[in-house]
Amino acid sequence: GAGGVLIGRSTTGDDAVTTSAAASATGTTSSSAGTSANQSIFGTSTASPARTRTQLTDGLFVLSGIIGCGQATVLVDNDGTQRGEIVTTAQTAAQVPIPVGGRILTTVGPSALGVIQPTGFLWRIIDLGRYTVHHDVHAVGDTAYVLATDSSSDRTTVQDVVLVVDVPTGEITRVIDMTKVLPKYLETTHAREGQDKNDWLHLNSVDVVDDTVYLSSRETLTIIALYRATGAGTGTPTIRYLIGASNIWEGTGYESKFLTKTTNFSENAGQHSLRRLDAPSLADGQYYLEMFNNNLWYMGTRDDVSTMGPANASTSETTGTSEILRYLVDESEETVAEAARVDVLYSSVMSDALRIRSDDERDTDDDGTLSDHLVVCSAKARVFSERTSSGEVIAQYRADSPTGVYRVYKDSFTGYWYE
């Protein structure tokens, strides 16, 4: 295909690997992204059960932010063949299309959301005004939760606001301003060297269940749960709890908000794609939080915490081990325990680990279950894979990009392109 291609890569040690190539006659793409791919299928070995191509779920992989291939999201099938692309004027890192209500919601510019019909025509463009989108857009029905920066000239901070957008009407409400939620912590920070504004939290993912908003803060290596934070007339957002390297927060006044660890584990570091997973086997007040744990310890907005990162975290941009990390949270007991940890290719930044939701789950606030397969993207390694529910690789692909692929997920697109 035009531009780069995708090539398979095996990294599973004893697993037997078969590689198959797929070609496409789709011609030159608008984004110069490749149109064909090789894939690695991981089969029988002494270390793991058989895993074959037939275990792959139906649907399309959605590659967002293929750096170097224009402002496009690329759609790739199980054979590694590109089946389409969504090209807009948006910065690639923010363009994560979400099927919702028979349409696709995506960014179509730094300060605009677009709702695209199956025919490719824009049904609506929502102007976000002074707000610019970054990282995550999370849809629950016709409501979109958007991570944003308030670009007002007198604003001194960035990437610390959450908007609620009513998709049918285009109405925008700022429901969370973290400078008002964590003012004491903000006082301890400063803008990074060479930057004009202070990226003191660097929020990179948002999830919503009922009246609780779950945020991932890359800069502070912290998971932040807020209640009364959805803008549904429930009052001012309040800290429900924090999870992460609590010693970073010593002396800030928020130490008491951290859940108590019931097992000895190395905390998350620079994590992305935080999602809540519920399970019927759990007691009331219990649920899982799952994420791609980049496992990078770096903080550029404070001068007094240079040695306070998690013990197992890397300090290198290129060398380390990332993880699929899952916590068991018990809100009734105010505790957190490590529930699962699976090593994956290292990526110091970006990346994701997301469940492939069933069609029934997709149009709700359900982020999947423990029985659903996973898509894992190690962005800096340019590798993404579909995995079993426990994290074993079924098929793995590599994107030809000089820097990385921002995020990858998978969807059946039922009710949009397919019946």
Side-chain angles (χ1 to χ4, degrees):
V5 298
L6 302 174
I7 60 174
R9 175 179 178 180
S10 167
T11 59
T12 61
D14 294 334
D15 282 350
V17 179
T18 60
T19 302
S20 61
S24 170
T26 55
T28 302
T29 60
S30 298
S31 63
S32 297
T35 58
S36 63
N38 290 346
Q39 66 175 239
S40 295
I41 304 295
F42 295 80
T44 305
S45 76
T46 57
S48 62
R51 300 189 292 281
T52 67
R53 184 191 182 285
T54 58
Q55 289 183 273
L56 290 169
T57 56
D58 293 333
L60 296 171
F61 294 100
V62 182
L63 282 62
S64 177
I66 305 178
I67 301 170
C69 290
Q71 310 291 0
T73 287
V74 173
L75 308 172
V76 175
D77 67 16
N78 286 344
D79 291 323
T81 301
Q82 185 186 141
R83 293 301 181 183
E85 57 181 354
I86 301 172
V87 182
T88 75
T89 59
Q91 67 270 38
T92 52
Q95 190 186 357
V96 183
I98 303 168
V100 55
R103 301 179 175 92
I104 280 182
L105 173 69
T106 186
T107 50
V108 293
S111 299
L113 299 179
V115 186
I116 306 172
Q117 295 176 321
T119 55
F121 290 98
L122 277 169
W123 175 67
R124 177 184 296 278
I125 295 178
I126 302 171
D127 184 357
L128 300 179
R130 71 177 189 269
Y131 298 105
T132 57
V133 183
H134 69 93
H135 290 300
D136 218 1
V137 177
H138 181 69
V140 180
D142 284 332
T143 302
Y145 296 84
V146 182
L147 294 181
T149 289
D150 185 341
S151 58
S152 302
S153 59
D154 59 347
R155 181 90 174 186
T156 60
T157 61
V158 296
Q159 303 193 135
D160 55 1
V161 169
V162 180
L163 308 176
V164 166
V165 179
D166 184 84
V167 175
T169 65
E171 182 180 355
I172 302 163
T173 305
R174 183 166 80 177
V175 293
I176 299 173
D177 180 347
M178 294 302 292
T179 65
K180 297 179 180 179
V181 177
L182 295 169
K184 294 179 182 178
Y185 183 84
L186 175 59
E187 292 174 359
T188 70
T189 67
H190 57 75
R192 291 187 182 187
E193 184 177 355
Q195 295 186 355
D196 295 330
K197 295 195 175 184
N198 188 359
D199 190 6
W200 61 296
L201 290 178
H202 196 96
L203 300 182
N204 60 25
S205 71
V206 55
D207 195 18
V208 180
V209 177
D210 298 327
D211 69 340
T212 302
V213 174
Y214 303 89
L215 299 169
S216 166
S217 167
R218 190 189 79 183
E219 177 68 10
T220 66
L221 297 78
T222 302
I223 294 165
I224 304 169
L226 304 177
Y227 56 16
R228 297 197 297 268
T230 61
T234 51
T236 303
T238 304
I239 300 173
R240 194 165 195 146
Y241 62 77
L242 304 174
I243 301 174
S246 58
N247 50 2
I248 292 172
W249 295 74
E250 289 179 0
T252 66
Y254 303 103
E255 300 90 334
S256 64
K257 298 297 184 180
F258 278 82
L259 296 182
T260 301
K261 292 167 60 174
T262 59
T263 59
N264 185 23
F265 59 84
S266 180
E267 297 90 347
N268 45 284
Q271 68 290 329
H272 285 73
S273 68
L274 176 70
R275 294 292 183 265
R276 170 174 161 168
L277 301 177
D278 293 287
S281 60
L282 297 177
D284 290 345
Q286 293 183 337
Y287 53 83
Y288 296 108
L289 291 177
E290 192 168 65
M291 71 207 78
F292 185 100
N293 184 32
N294 298 75
N295 222 14
L296 172 70
W297 160 233
Y298 172 76
M299 179 173 287
T301 56
R302 290 178 63 185
D303 301 323
D304 57 341
V305 293
S306 59
T307 61
M308 291 187 180
N312 293 347
S314 173
T315 58
S316 168
E317 292 186 8
T318 58
T319 304
T321 301
S322 296
E323 302 156 337
I324 306 166
L325 178 59
R326 186 165 69 247
Y327 291 146
L328 173 62
V329 172
D330 189 327
E331 287 198 15
S332 301
E333 299 296 327
E334 298 185 341
T335 61
V336 58
E338 180 184 310
R341 190 182 295 258
V342 178
D343 290 351
V344 299
L345 286 175
Y346 184 61
S347 182
S348 56
V349 293
M350 304 184 290
S351 309
D352 60 50
L354 296 170
R355 297 283 168 170
I356 303 175
R357 297 185 296 174
S358 68
D359 294 339
D360 291 338
E361 295 165 341
R362 179 159 54 85
D363 292 327
T364 70
D365 60 359
D366 194 330
D367 291 309
T369 68
L370 293 181
S371 63
D372 290 325
H373 283 194
L374 281 153
V375 167
V376 176
C377 170
S378 294
K380 295 291 284 186
R382 299 169 289 154
V383 169
F384 65 96
S385 58
E386 180 170 339
R387 296 171 178 251
T388 65
S389 59
S390 60
E392 296 174 317
V393 176
I394 303 171
Q396 188 159 269
Y397 312 78
R398 171 177 278 178
D400 184 12
S401 163
T403 305
V405 177
Y406 177 69
R407 285 192 184 173
V408 179
Y409 72 96
K410 193 177 189 182
D411 196 273
S412 69
F413 290 92
T414 301
Y416 187 75
W417 283 315
Y418 306 106
E419 295 183 354

